[in-house]
Amino acid sequence: MTVHQTTAAAVVPEIRRARPEERDAISLLLGEAFMEDPVSCWVFPDEGHRRAVHPGFFGVFLDAALRAGWVDVTDDLSAAALWIPVRVEESGGDGHGGADDGGIGEQLAQAAPGNDRARIVGELTGAAHPGDRSHYYLPNIVAAPGRRGEGRGRALLAPVLDRCDREGVPAYLEASNARSKALYERLGFAFTGTPIDLPDGGPRMWPMWREPRG
């Protein structure tokens, strides 16, 4: 899931790697940034409960990135991007279930025990996640609510997408709203063609894939 808007140019703080001791501050940033996200509102309909559980829930993604990938932040911790390298065994399989994303889906269910909607999101996003090629996975990118539209998200993405192009490695994400989908399309991502439609009147998510540019 992603929360990101860009509407005007602004001076963006330096982009750097997150430090281990900043984990709690980043989890709070994630929790606050996703308060109005359509998927989060569906998973946790009650606003008070959503605010209470969000840092721990999104801490699942954060811990996976800190453990197996990396987290880029603005120097003032007003924005963050989580990246996880997904390795696929080159064994000539059928292209399904070959990706290892650290078991995020199972951990999401554990982070919200008894919440069937959290389990459903984990299962559906896991099933949609491409398993035939190694890639860099962007589970979350956020800017603090008061810092949206200032170019922080784009600044966080640019160096990693440049790296993808240099290394010849694709990138993958799930857009959780139409506005972010349009932004990612401008950055070279393409909708995979099959949306994730959450049940019970839930919102739509768009799996998106970016081929490296030569």
Side-chain angles (χ1 to χ4, degrees):
M1 294 184 286
T2 53
V3 175
H4 177 53
Q5 303 171 1
T6 300
T7 58
V11 176
V12 177
E14 178 185 356
I15 305 298
R16 61 172 174 81
R17 289 289 171 88
R19 296 186 284 266
E21 63 269 22
E22 294 170 329
R23 188 264 179 203
D24 289 348
I26 297 170
S27 70
L28 291 174
L29 168 66
L30 290 165
E32 182 63 28
F34 278 107
M35 277 299 296
E36 303 303 322
D37 178 75
V39 176
S40 281
C41 290
W42 181 79
V43 174
F44 305 108
D46 180 80
E47 181 179 351
H49 179 65
R50 185 164 68 251
R51 187 174 299 279
V53 301
H54 254 193
F57 185 75
F58 286 98
V60 170
F61 296 103
L62 177 58
D63 290 339
L66 290 171
R67 180 177 62 252
W70 71 92
V71 178
D72 289 331
V73 296
T74 53
D75 194 48
D76 61 355
L77 296 183
S78 64
L82 284 53
W83 289 95
I84 301 173
V86 176
R87 310 299 183 191
V88 176
E89 294 294 333
E90 303 295 339
S91 58
D94 61 5
H96 298 285
D100 178 11
D101 62 0
I104 288 178
E106 295 179 3
Q107 295 173 49
L108 287 179
Q110 295 172 7
N115 187 322
D116 284 342
R117 291 185 171 185
R119 175 185 56 78
I120 289 169
V121 169
E123 290 177 353
L124 293 179
T125 55
H129 199 137
D132 58 340
R133 293 173 63 190
S134 296
H135 56 276
Y136 293 128
Y137 175 40
L138 178 71
N140 303 129
I141 178 169
V142 299
R147 293 300 183 181
R148 294 176 187 163
E150 297 180 354
R152 282 165 167 76
R154 187 181 290 269
L156 285 165
L157 286 173
V160 181
L161 297 183
D162 288 344
R163 173 180 174 177
C164 289
D165 295 340
R166 290 194 307 270
E167 297 179 359
V169 177
Y172 175 76
L173 57 83
E174 302 105 358
S176 58
N177 60 71
R179 181 177 294 167
S180 64
K181 175 178 176 288
L183 168 69
Y184 297 128
E185 288 173 338
R186 293 195 294 272
L187 295 174
F189 285 87
F191 172 43
T192 62
T194 303
I196 300 170
D197 289 316
L198 299 176
D200 302 325
R204 169 169 287 188
M205 302 174 70
W206 292 268
M208 305 191 74
W209 183 266
R210 182 186 185 274
E211 289 289 342
R213 295 173 172 174

